[in-house]
């Protein structure tokens, strides 16, 4: 009888905007795999995880069908697939946790001269989009009837070529809209990448997933946190601690041969900006050092 190790199967985007960030996240979780972009499948070396590289639109279906137990995909794709796909199993796919990358928004954008005064301005108009499901939902919520032209790509050219009065597309920097003479009129859906899970995961795989989630949480928390060190006059400690962002109990250390000053070390769970450092300096801190944290487990 041969022993077969239980492994968790994860679907990620093969190539595209989420591909590098998805791989990078796994690497930061200490999961190494053979780097090949051509393969559909690869096995992680030091963790019971197998990776499937697929198109992002197929990830929810991979997870719903049980080919993979988990996946990494944009919320926009998950929600759209659930709305438009005939595969009823998709409704059982759940978001496990947001991953913080691939942030974008699905927005209505209008050409110059279109006087947008809310969804009502779209009544009777023609809208081009690759997200007919999410757009229909939005229009239904707003009680507005409009015609939707479904396009697979290059949605932003539709108004210029006379195919549509306005568009509904993903936006991140807004540069594509600007280049095409369009203005963002209204955000209808905000999105980022998420870890998703299907129904019916067995106990052994759930255990592997729990370990993975713990590591991902550690990576995300470390990404958002900084270790900050500075010297502080003893009398200014209360003021300085009040300025430290997202830190509950800083460590206070003696400085050799000094009784007027101490060293303060703290983990800050919120952004430490130049303004924060200026505020600290203003409150009496000196020799301020801010360093990144690589890993963190609470
Ligand atoms: O081949 P495959 O099907 O896997 O990939 P794809 O071409 O369908 O998707 P891809 O790789 O372009 O995007 C994958 C996911 O990245 C999306 O589903 C979103 O969740 C996320 N994402 C984040 C974006 C953007 N930002 C984004 N800006 N996806 C697309 N865009 C496009 C947008 O459609 C528009 O054309 O970028 C342009 C706008 O960008 P800005 O910066 O000019 O505003
Ligand atoms: Zn796609």
């Amino acid at each position: 009888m041969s022993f077969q190790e239980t492994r968790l199967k994860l679907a990620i985007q093969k190539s595209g905007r989420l591909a590098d960030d998805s791989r990078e996240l796994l690497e930061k979780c200490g999961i190494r795999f053979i780097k090949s972009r051509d393969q559909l499948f690869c096995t992680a070396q030091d963790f019971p995880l197998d990776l499937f590289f697929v198109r992002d639109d197929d990830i929810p279906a991979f997870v719903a069908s049980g080919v993979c137990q988990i996946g990494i995909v944009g919320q926009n794709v998950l929600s759209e697939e659930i709305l438009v796909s005939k595969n009823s199993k998709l409704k059982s796919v759940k978001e496990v946790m947001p991953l913080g990358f691939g942030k974008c928004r699905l927005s209505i954008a209008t050409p110059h001269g279109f006087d947008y005064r809310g969804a009502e301005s779209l009544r009777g108009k023609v809208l081009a989009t690759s997200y007919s499901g999410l757009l229909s939902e939005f229009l239904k919520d707003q009680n507005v009837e409009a015609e939707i032209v479904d396009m697979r790509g290059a949605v932003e050219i539709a108004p210029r070529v006379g195919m549509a009065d306005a568009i509904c597309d993903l936006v991140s920097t807004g540069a594509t809209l600007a280049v095409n003479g369009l203005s963002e009129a209204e955000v209808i859906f905000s999105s980022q990448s998420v870890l998703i899970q299907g129904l019916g995961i067995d106990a052994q795989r759930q255990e592997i997933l729990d370990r993975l989630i713990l590591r991902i949480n550690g990576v995300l928390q470390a990404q958002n946190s900084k270790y900050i060190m500075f010297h502080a006059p003893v009398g200014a400690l209360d003021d300085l601690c009040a300025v430290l962002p997202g830190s509950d109990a800083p460590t206070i250390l003696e400085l050799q041969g000094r009784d007027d000053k101490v060293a303060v070390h703290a983990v800050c769970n919120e952004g430490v900006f130049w303004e924060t450092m200026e505020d600290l300096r203003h409150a009496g801190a000196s020799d301020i050092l801010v360093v990144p944290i690589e890993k963190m487990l609470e």
Side-chain angles (χ1 to χ4, degrees), residues 96-145:
V96 180
M97 63 195 293
L99 300 173
F101 57 84
K103 285 189 178 163
C104 56
R105 49 204 190 269
L106 183 64
S107 294
I108 307 284
T110 53
H112 298 318
F114 190 120
D115 184 19
Y116 189 83
R117 294 164 186 251
E120 196 51 45
S121 311
L122 301 173
R123 189 177 297 280
K125 301 282 193 231
V126 180
L127 305 172
T129 190
S130 310
Y131 289 87
S132 57
L134 288 168
L135 178 56
S136 300
E137 282 276 292
F138 169 74
L139 294 171
K140 203 162 75 188
D141 283 353
Q142 305 288 323
N143 279 318
V144 168
E145 276 193 32

Side-chain angles (χ1 to χ4, degrees), residues 35-192:
K35 286 188 179 155
S36 160
R37 284 197 173 266
D38 306 326
Q39 291 173 345
L40 171 70
F41 172 85
C42 101
T43 295
Q45 288 170 354
D46 0 355
F47 199 84
L49 186 74
D50 293 333
L51 294 182
F52 281 70
F53 302 110
V54 291
R55 288 198 58 176
D56 67 344
D57 321 71
D58 295 332
I59 292 174
F62 262 67
V63 172
S65 66
V67 173
C68 292
Q69 290 79 40
I70 54 170
I72 294 178
V73 72
Q75 287 167 312
N76 53 311
V77 169
L78 176 64
S79 299
E80 180 68 15
E81 288 297 314
I82 290 174
L83 286 169
V84 299
S85 170
K86 293 189 177 71
N87 179 353
S88 61
K89 282 189 184 160
L90 281 172
K91 295 197 172 47
S92 65
V93 176
K94 295 276 170 289
E95 288 186 19
V96 180
M97 63 195 293
L99 300 173
F101 57 84
K103 285 189 178 163
C104 56
R105 49 204 190 269
L106 183 64
S107 294
I108 307 284
T110 53
H112 298 318
F114 190 120
D115 184 19
Y116 189 83
R117 294 164 186 251
E120 196 51 45
S121 311
L122 301 173
R123 189 177 297 280
K125 301 282 193 231
V126 180
L127 305 172
T129 190
S130 310
Y131 289 87
S132 57
L134 288 168
L135 178 56
S136 300
E137 282 276 292
F138 169 74
L139 294 171
K140 203 162 75 188
D141 283 353
Q142 305 288 323
N143 279 318
V144 168
E145 276 193 32
E147 187 185 331
I148 296 177
V149 175
D150 215 337
M151 290 177 74
R152 288 293 94 204
V155 172
E156 61 281 351
I157 64 157
R160 207 160 12 115
V161 297
M163 275 180 73
D165 299 302
I167 68 163
C168 173
D169 198 11
L170 295 177
V171 183
S172 49
T173 62
T176 306
L177 293 184
V179 164
N180 287 283
L182 298 164
S183 316
E184 192 170 359
E186 181 158 359
V187 176
I188 70 163
F189 187 88
S190 292
S191 179
Q192 62 173 299

Side-chain angles (χ1 to χ4, degrees), residues 225-229 251 253 264-268 272 289-293:
S225 303
K226 293 279 180 281
Y227 196 76
I228 183 163
M229 298 173 267
T251 308
L253 300 162
V264 179
H265 288 202
V267 173
C268 292
V272 177
L289 274 182
V290 179
V291 293
I293 295 171

Side-chain angles (χ1 to χ4, degrees), residues 21-32:
D21 284 333
S22 303
R23 286 160 176 257
E24 210 172 286
L25 175 66
L26 296 173
E27 277 167 20
K28 284 186 181 158
C29 288
I31 300 168
R32 286 180 297 143

